[in-house]
């Protein structure tokens, strides 16, 4: 802690800085203001700590497991649209594979409380771990929390093309032909297993890195 | 950005009568939207329902879509309104108080170590609980900005508030969560 932090005029500056910290994380500040903020943060432990705390929120949010879309959600939606509008041949994910003649019986929605991991969460964890591991090897250097928070934010499907952002099984981005393959998995649990296997691989790779 | 053009293109194609464009939009956005709605209403079944409801409304009101708004902003605006209505229903109040008390796990204030990152997965419930305790609009603003990657201008459109309000909503939400998570994780000087 620096003694000068207790000086009142310093506190006033810190309060102004504080009010803009979230906007800094979200890359919403004008370049001049961002430069000003960064200069202050280099100099002020208290504000740097506040930034770290706020960035930790983003890391925690990125690390939350995301729900997997039930394979039959599109079909259930299609049924609702059909009854809503009286239309026939409503677009449904399964209609993408007309060659398959099996009858689709809508599954009962699963109400499991078990959280399902989506690849996005796996990627977020992998990035976090990679940065943490790199950071351990050079123990003096803190990871740039701002960089980390912004990287995680930019990996979210809503911010980028889902196709590009989410490797592995992604119900929402498969081309039509591959959808039939996806439906070969009979339950969402199968997809769950795949996602968890990917996560396991990340941990194994990380342990190997650690030696 | 490429994704903007793609969504707008799909929505316009759907407006012109191409049903596969709607299918494509559903597949692109149902995942992110389900995640957002689950954080908003904290109930998997309701969230699934609201995803369907939101897309049903997109389907119904395709004529009203104008390409000057991003498709996602429009979709999330519909979804946010549905979520806020859902939260106002009496039966929803009970869902919020059903989370057990979890043990606080230590997390150093600067840079979590690997073991704690793994432990942090177990903290997910705690994080979700604290997120749920935030006022609705703060929660929505933080989820849209920090998780879904919306700009403040887009969040403002989705929530029907000013950008200035968004800035303040996001900051209050993040600050409150930071404080509460810090209490749970503990911190050393
Ligand atoms: Zn300061």
């Amino acid at each position: 802690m620096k003694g000068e932090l207790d000086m009142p005029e310093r506190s006033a500056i810190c309060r102004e800085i504080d009010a803009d910290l979230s906007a800094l994380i979200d890359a919403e500040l004008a370049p001049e203001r961002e430069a000003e903020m960064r200069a202050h943060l280099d100099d002020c432990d208290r504000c740097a700590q506040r930034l770290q705390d706020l960035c930790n929120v983003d890391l925690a949010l990125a690390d939350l497991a995301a729900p997997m879309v039930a394979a039959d959600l599109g079909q259930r939606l299609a049924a609702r649209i059909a009854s809503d509008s009286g239309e026939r041949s409503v677009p449904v994910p399964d209609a993408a594979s007309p060659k398959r003649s099996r009858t689709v019986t809508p599954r009962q929605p699963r109400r499991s409380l078990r959280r399902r991991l989506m690849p996005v969460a796996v990627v977020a964890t992998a990035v976090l771990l990679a940065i943490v591991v790199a950071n351990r090897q050079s123990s003096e250097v803190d990871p740039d929390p701002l960089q980390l928070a912004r990287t995680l934010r930019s990996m979210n499907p809503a911010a980028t093309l889902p196709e590009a952002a989410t490797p592995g099984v992604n119900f929402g981005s498969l081309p039509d032909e591959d959808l039939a393959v996806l439906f070969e998995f009979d339950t969402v649990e199968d997809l769950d297993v795949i996602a968890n296997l990917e996560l396991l691989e990340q941990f194994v790779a990380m342990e190997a890195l650690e030696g | 950005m490429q994704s903007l053009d793609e969504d707008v293109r799909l929505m316009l194609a759907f407006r012109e009568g191409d049903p596969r464009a709607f299918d494509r939009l559903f597949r692109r956005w149902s995942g992110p939207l389900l995640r957002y709605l689950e954080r908003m209403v904290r109930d998997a079944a309701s969230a699934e329902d609201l995803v369907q409801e939101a897309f049903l409304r997109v389907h119904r009101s395709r004529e009203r879509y104008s390409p000057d708004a991003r498709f996602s902003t429009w979709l999330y605006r519909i979804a946010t309104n549905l979520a806020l209505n859902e939260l106002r229903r009496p039966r929803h109040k009970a869902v919020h108080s059903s989370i057990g008390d979890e043990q606080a796990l230590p997390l150093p204030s600067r840079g979590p170590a690997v073991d704690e990152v793994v432990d942090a997965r177990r903290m997910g419930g705690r994080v979700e609980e604290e997120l749920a305790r935030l006022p609705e609009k703060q929660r929505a603003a933080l989820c849209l900005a920090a998780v879904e990657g919306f700009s403040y201008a887009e969040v403002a459109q989705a929530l029907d508030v000013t950008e200035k309000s968004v800035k303040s909503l996001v900051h209050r939400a993040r600050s409150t969560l930071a404080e509460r998570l810090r209490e749970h994780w503990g911190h050393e000087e």
Side-chain angles (χ1 to χ4, degrees):
Chain A
M1 282 288 179
K2 290 171 186 169
E4 72 232 73
L5 284 179
D6 298 328
M7 290 163 64
E9 62 272 29
R10 181 85 187 188
S11 295
I13 294 171
C14 289
R15 270 198 300 277
E16 275 178 29
I17 293 288
D18 190 279
D20 277 350
L21 283 176
S22 269
L24 178 68
I25 294 170
D26 295 326
E28 290 281 343
L29 295 174
E32 316 81 64
R33 179 58 177 160
E34 178 160 339
E36 214 173 276
M37 297 277 290
R38 284 180 182 271
H40 180 89
L41 289 161
D42 280 344
D43 207 34
C44 175
D45 285 347
R46 189 167 64 176
C47 290
Q49 181 61 59
R50 268 283 288 167
L51 177 66
Q52 173 76 62
D53 287 347
L54 295 173
C55 286
N56 280 344
V57 169
D58 287 46
L59 304 196
L61 290 175
D63 205 41
L64 287 180
M68 184 78 87
V69 176
D72 63 350
L73 189 65
Q75 284 141 33
R76 283 186 272 145
L77 170 64
R80 274 176 85 166
I81 289 173
S83 73
D84 180 63
S85 60
E87 279 179 38
R88 289 299 300 140
S89 76
V90 186
V92 294
D94 207 59
S97 51
K99 275 170 284 182
R100 297 174 59 82
S101 59
R102 74 195 169 97
T103 49
V104 179
T105 37
R107 279 181 213 107
Q108 284 304 305
R110 281 163 207 282
R111 296 290 178 246
S112 163
L113 288 177
R114 193 154 58 95
R115 309 296 301 172
R116 301 188 183 100
L117 298 174
M118 266 179 81
V120 165
V122 176
V123 174
T125 305
V127 168
L128 185 56
L129 290 175
I131 292 172
V132 168
V133 168
N135 186 47
R136 266 193 165 182
Q137 283 161 355
S138 55
S139 54
E140 283 306 299
V141 189
D142 277 325
D144 180 351
L146 196 56
Q147 189 58 42
L148 187 52
R150 284 182 175 178
T151 303
L152 290 174
R153 184 177 182 269
S154 71
M155 290 191 320
N156 284 301
T160 55
L161 262 181
E163 283 83 348
T166 54
V169 177
N170 185 341
F171 176 78
S173 69
L174 286 174
D176 296 347
E177 311 79 58
D178 291 350
L179 202 67
V181 178
L182 181 64
F183 276 114
E184 296 296 339
F185 298 109
D186 218 38
T187 65
V188 282
E189 273 74 13
D190 292 327
L191 301 179
D192 205 16
V193 167
I194 291 167
N196 286 331
L197 279 176
E198 282 180 13
L199 181 64
L200 188 64
E201 275 171 21
Q202 303 286 356
F203 284 135
V204 170
M206 185 202 76
E207 278 185 356
L209 251 179
E210 285 213 299
Chain B
M1 196 185 273
Q2 204 187 345
S3 65
L4 314 188
D5 301 343
E6 179 67 359
D7 288 327
V8 169
R9 190 189 66 70
L10 287 168
M11 194 55 213
L12 291 177
F14 174 51
R15 205 178 68 178
E16 297 310 310
D18 176 6
R20 297 185 51 106
F22 179 76
D23 172 27
R24 190 90 188 132
L25 284 167
F26 175 76
R27 286 199 246 152
R28 284 165 69 86
W29 288 100
S30 50
L33 194 65
L34 181 65
R35 169 176 65 181
Y36 172 64
L37 286 169
E38 273 211 28
R39 306 255 158 95
M40 285 305 290
V41 301
R42 291 217 74 208
D43 177 66
S46 308
E48 257 193 2
D49 236 38
L50 295 182
V51 169
Q52 294 184 59
E53 191 63 38
F55 275 97
L56 186 62
R57 280 164 201 236
V58 167
H59 195 279
R60 268 186 212 154
S61 50
R62 56 189 177 274
E63 305 292 339
R64 266 180 281 149
Y65 175 74
S66 87
D68 48 279
R70 263 182 84 177
F71 171 75
S72 55
T73 312
W74 187 51
L75 177 66
Y76 277 73
R77 184 182 176 132
I78 294 170
T80 301
N81 285 334
L82 291 171
L84 295 179
N85 286 340
E86 174 69 20
L87 288 170
R88 264 160 220 135
R89 289 191 194 193
R91 72 168 184 83
H92 209 93
K93 309 278 184 199
V95 179
H96 287 250
S97 54
S98 60
I99 306 116
D101 204 45
E102 282 169 55
Q103 245 188 318
L105 293 166
L107 198 72
S109 49
R110 276 194 183 241
V114 172
D115 294 345
E116 278 110 15
V117 171
V118 177
D119 282 344
R121 277 213 170 274
R122 278 181 241 132
M123 283 296 292
R126 172 67 72 193
V127 176
E128 287 186 338
E129 184 190 353
E130 293 301 346
L131 191 60
R133 283 175 64 198
L134 294 175
E136 295 157 4
K137 283 217 167 168
Q138 284 188 33
R139 183 158 81 244
L142 183 66
C143 285
L144 291 174
V147 182
E148 307 303 331
F150 279 35
S151 71
Y152 285 2
E154 290 163 349
V155 178
Q157 278 184 36
L159 299 186
D160 201 18
V161 296
T162 63
E163 270 187 62
K164 211 179 157 205
S165 304
V166 170
K167 185 182 172 189
S168 147
L169 284 168
V170 170
H171 191 51
R172 274 186 285 153
R174 218 186 236 121
S175 297
T176 306
L177 269 189
E179 265 167 48
R180 290 183 185 160
L181 295 180
R182 216 173 142 85
E183 280 166 28
H184 292 304
W185 287 337
H187 72 281
E188 65 274 7
E189 284 313 309

